[in-house]
Amino acid sequence: MLAEVAASGRPRTWQHWVRHRARHAGGLVRDRLAASRRIRVQQRRLLGIFPVDDVTVRDTRAGRRLLDSARAALQGARPEGIAEADAAAAAGAAAAGGG
């Protein structure tokens, strides 16, 4: 991404670059989770036309623990601080519009 910023012919805000890359982030994360076998992705067509990915979490307990941890971090349930992994999960959920 740094090379892309350097090669840009005009100045842009940092928000531009975040939004620019955000379009691809979901697919990249999904592909990495599928490659590590944490999720299963099955492709199908909706109405026989639109491609849709059905995503299934393989270990629902781990997913529940991560969700609970991120929710506690967002609600301030841990005044001693937020673990880096929890902060990343919360930021990812916020970026994805989840919650």
Side-chain angles (χ1 to χ4, degrees), residues 7-19:
S8 176
R10 59 185 176 141
R12 298 180 190 262
T13 66
W14 64 268
Q15 292 100 333
H16 164 81
W17 294 109
V18 170
R19 282 191 304 269

Side-chain angles (χ1 to χ4, degrees), residues 65-67 69-71 73-74 82-96 98:
R65 284 191 305 271
L66 180 60
L67 177 62
S69 181
R71 184 174 286 130
L74 288 170
I82 299 171
E84 187 176 318
D86 294 341

Side-chain angles (χ1 to χ4, degrees), residues 20-40:
H20 175 69
R21 284 297 185 186
R23 287 180 266 166
H24 306 288
L28 294 172
V29 171
R30 183 200 59 225
D31 293 347
R32 290 184 100 179
L33 289 171
S36 66
R37 301 188 48 79
R38 293 175 192 245
I39 62 171
R40 181 177 62 239

Side-chain angles (χ1 to χ4, degrees), residues 41-59:
V41 180
Q42 294 177 301
Q43 298 175 340
R44 65 180 175 91
R45 295 224 171 246
L46 181 65
L47 302 174
I49 301 171
F50 306 104
V52 176
D53 290 337
D54 289 328
V55 178
T56 306
V57 176
R58 291 181 180 271
D59 182 357

